[in-house]
Amino acid sequence: MKFENIQQVQERWDNKEVLQFEERDPCYTWLFPLALGEFSPEAIWLPVTLPKLTENLTLYIHIPFCRFICSMCPFTHEPLNHKDLDAYVEALCKEIRFYGSNLLNIKARPVSSLYFGGGTASSLSIQQLEKILLELRQWFNFDSGCQITLECHPRTVDKKYLVNARQLGINRVSFGIQSFEQEFIDSLKLHQQVEQSKQILTDALSVGFNTVAMDLMFRYAGQNVEALEREIETALAIGVQGISTYALDPEIRELRATAKQQKPVSTEGEMYYYLHDRLHAEGFVHVAQPDYARPGHENQQLRDLWGAPQAENLSFGAGAFSESFNGATWANVHDSELYVNLIDDGKVPILMGQTHSWDDAVARYPALGVRCLEFALTPFEEKFGVKFDELYRLELSILVNKGWVELEENRLRITRQGKFFIDNISKTFFNLRNRGKSQLWGVQLEKLKPHKVWSQRELIDSVEKKYSLVESNK
């Protein structure tokens, strides 16, 4: 559903999102907490009592423009217009500058990963990409091993573009290949050309990136395990070092005709475990659900965003979600024209958000942590002052008895059986105010406007005044 106002987002409730253990939950849990609504951006600056899990930062840049519009994409996207993209990049740099120049001691915190996503991040020209990177490097402290990823549509780049991107410091590229079978590409009216996709992956591997990764979608209408085997054989023969595998979910993307032609969930399970076992046999690490990589080529941003204890995240651009920064999660407006106009008027482009309660912070650790398939319990106990296995005694009893998780050596691990039910497991740890709430997707939020728009100057003045009161009352 598309939301008409922020109140609808805040009050949304869906019985299908309630925790159950009878069948695999199709939800893709990428964001937590979920009770976003009216939000004061003062929370980004004011002192909080929640523990800081790590000093690391991860950064995300959203580029919503696409030369090719894909029917199955649920993220914020719109047709590419080069004039609009120029204005957008200028606004993006201004937003980066606003936070970089006003967040206290932000340069003391190492940035471990930066991700350019979309939309189509490779819609950026090399000059625009360089401009954004220069702005980011002026204000943030990039760790010497920082992983910098650029998402690419295979038909928007050539080898020269990739060489230039590598020279700018991009060290990981990820291509939206989706399939090496043209019939499946055409069935969703996608625009990839299989032979060109193979060639651009080969070109990228020759350029010298640390990692070349790709998306591979499965459970197309009529697809079976044998067809999926051919896809994996092709990817392995090319030599990609990372593969993100995910099942086509027609409900999120409103592809009802496709849903009617898909094989049952049991076949999805067969496909899932074929991928899992084959990639493990080939030496890939299961980084997170749904990412696999050769050792040393893991997707660092997924580990930063999801892996417990999680890093704090700052995100920039239309439709960007900043996660758990200073105890708050917030989303920018999703319409790029509105985003640019707000920035150019000296306004803050925040649409909505949520200041985390103690319960939100506690629940977030395992709710997202399980997506990386294991995590240590000791940091949880050190940060929150309570033993994990005592706080979640009932939940763990259920999950262990189902054979989905195991506890050993003070770690929680997802079993092979449990991996297919990762979103059921994640929801087991949701706290009360986040239960029954669906994940949020850009296409649902693209026309929403904030109820209150803060000017940048007004916000900083208010924060300075409140911060002075806090300090004087200590």
Side-chain angles (χ1 to χ4, degrees):
M1 77 174 274
K2 292 194 175 185
F3 296 103
E4 297 179 1
N5 54 61
I6 294 172
Q7 185 176 356
Q8 282 187 350
V9 177
Q10 192 162 11
E11 296 177 354
R12 73 190 186 284
W13 172 268
D14 188 341
N15 285 331
K16 291 185 293 185
E17 298 295 336
V18 176
L19 173 65
Q20 50 84 20
F21 298 105
E22 288 71 39
E23 56 187 33
R24 181 192 62 84
D25 195 316
C27 172
Y28 184 96
T29 305
W30 68 273
L31 178 71
F32 189 91
L34 295 167
L36 276 64
E38 296 298 331
F39 174 72
S40 170
E42 295 168 312
I44 300 168
W45 279 267
L46 293 176
V48 296
T49 58
L50 299 177
K52 187 185 296 293
L53 299 185
T54 173
E55 285 296 321
N56 280 14
L57 277 177
T58 178
L59 305 179
Y60 175 81
I61 304 293
H62 193 76
I63 307 299
F65 298 97
C66 298
R67 178 180 165 193
F68 305 106
I69 300 298
C70 301
S71 61
M72 32 63 71
C73 179
F75 303 105
T76 302
H77 63 276
E78 58 188 84
L80 174 62
N81 178 300
H82 289 287
K83 182 179 179 180
D84 290 344
L85 181 54
D86 287 339
Y88 182 83
V89 169
E90 290 295 328
L92 189 58
C93 289
K94 289 177 184 178
E95 187 190 12
I96 293 166
R97 196 175 309 140
F98 168 68
Y99 285 105
S101 61
N102 286 293
L103 288 169
L104 190 64
N105 298 323
I106 196 65
K107 265 208 163 180
R109 303 185 64 179
V111 175
S112 49
S113 60
L114 163 63
Y115 198 100
F116 287 85
T120 306
S122 56
S123 296
L124 294 169
S125 69
I126 289 298
Q127 293 74 21
Q128 290 167 334
L129 184 59
E130 182 178 27
K131 182 182 181 70
I132 297 167
L133 283 166
L134 286 171
E135 193 71 49
L136 287 164
R137 286 173 174 140
Q138 179 177 349
W139 300 108
F140 295 95
N141 173 26
F142 284 77
D143 186 83
S144 59
C146 180
Q147 185 182 83
I148 305 178
T149 298
L150 178 69
E151 269 188 357
C152 302
H153 188 289
R155 288 188 62 187
T156 62
V157 298
D158 56 18
K159 188 171 182 178
K160 182 181 178 181
Y161 182 98
L162 295 174
V163 168
N164 289 330
R166 182 70 190 96
Q167 290 173 349
L168 291 177
I170 302 297
N171 51 34
R172 182 179 183 272
V173 285
S174 181
F175 290 89
I177 300 297
Q178 313 308 351
S179 176
F180 293 113
E181 298 282 346
Q182 197 65 50
E183 66 172 295
F184 295 143
I185 294 292
D186 295 343
S187 71
L188 292 179
K189 296 182 173 60
L190 304 182
H191 303 274
Q192 290 87 337
Q193 296 294 323
V194 167
E195 293 306 315
Q196 184 182 35
S197 292
K198 294 177 183 178
Q199 186 60 53
I200 200 64
L201 288 172
T202 302
D203 288 344
L205 286 162
S206 72
V207 166
F209 294 103
N210 295 357
T211 301
V212 175
M214 59 170 278
D215 291 347
L216 181 67
M217 193 158 55
F218 64 96
R219 208 187 173 204
Y220 290 92
Q223 188 185 33
N224 56 25
V225 176
E226 290 71 26
L228 183 57
E229 289 178 9
R230 294 194 296 271
E231 303 266 26
I232 288 296
E233 291 295 338
T234 302
L236 293 172
I238 291 170
V240 294
Q241 296 129 336
I243 304 177
S244 180
T245 65
Y246 57 99
L248 172 62
D249 184 346
E251 186 171 344
I252 288 177
R253 299 161 175 86
E254 298 185 355
L255 302 172
R256 294 180 180 85
T258 299
K260 294 177 182 178
Q261 300 173 51
Q262 282 183 311
K263 292 187 180 295
V265 173
S266 60
T267 302
E268 180 185 335
E270 292 176 28
M271 291 179 170
Y272 174 86
Y273 284 113
Y274 164 74
L275 286 166
H276 176 276
D277 295 345
R278 179 64 194 278
L279 290 172
H280 272 278
E282 293 290 337
F284 281 71
V285 177
H286 199 174
V287 183
Q289 181 51 28
D291 264 57
Y292 298 83
R294 296 281 186 192
H297 298 277
E298 295 88 345
N299 184 337
Q300 184 59 42
Q301 183 155 91
L302 283 189
R303 286 187 163 173
D304 286 338
L305 286 173
W306 294 345
Q310 293 89 6
E312 296 187 8
N313 163 247
L314 280 173
S315 295
F316 307 100
F321 283 76
S322 293
E323 300 179 55
S324 195
F325 184 86
N326 196 43
T329 291
W330 67 92
N332 278 352
V333 295
H334 284 56
D335 180 83
S336 69
E337 183 179 2
L338 176 59
Y339 169 82
V340 170
N341 289 340
L342 289 173
I343 293 286
D344 287 349
D345 289 343
K347 304 292 177 58
V348 180
I350 291 176
L351 173 67
M352 60 185 178
Q354 180 177 346
T355 302
H356 297 191
S357 67
W358 187 268
D359 281 352
D360 291 332
V362 167
R364 190 174 189 271
Y365 189 102
L368 293 180
V370 297
R371 292 208 73 90
C372 283
L373 308 173
E374 67 174 277
F375 56 80
L377 305 186
T378 299
F380 179 92
E381 294 157 12
E382 292 174 346
K383 295 296 184 180
F384 296 110
V386 59
K387 291 183 72 65
F388 185 87
D389 53 354
E390 292 179 359
L391 180 64
Y392 290 112
R393 188 186 305 274
L394 175 61
E395 291 86 349
L396 290 172
S397 174
I398 294 170
L399 295 174
V400 169
N401 285 336
K402 291 193 74 67
W404 290 356
V405 309
E406 57 189 17
L407 295 169
E408 57 180 42
E409 299 175 356
N410 212 31
R411 299 185 70 82
L412 182 145
R413 291 190 178 90
I414 310 301
T415 66
R416 179 183 180 277
Q417 179 186 352
K419 288 177 179 180
F420 188 60
F421 300 93
I422 197 69
D423 292 293
N424 304 70
I425 298 170
S426 179
K427 286 182 179 180
T428 306
F429 297 105
F430 280 22
N431 57 321
L432 188 60
R433 75 165 170 166
N434 291 289
R435 292 181 184 174
K437 294 195 180 298
S438 58
Q439 293 290 308
L440 294 171
W441 300 98
V443 292
Q444 300 172 313
L445 308 169
E446 55 193 2
K447 294 305 177 185
L448 294 188
K449 296 180 180 179
H451 286 174
K452 174 176 172 55
V453 177
W454 291 68
S455 77
Q456 295 176 8
R457 186 68 263 162
E458 173 193 16
L459 174 57
I460 297 306
D461 287 346
S462 176
V463 167
E464 288 176 350
K465 181 178 180 181
K466 290 186 177 181
Y467 197 91
S468 297
L469 287 173
V470 169
E471 290 297 304
S472 65
N473 289 331
K474 284 185 177 179

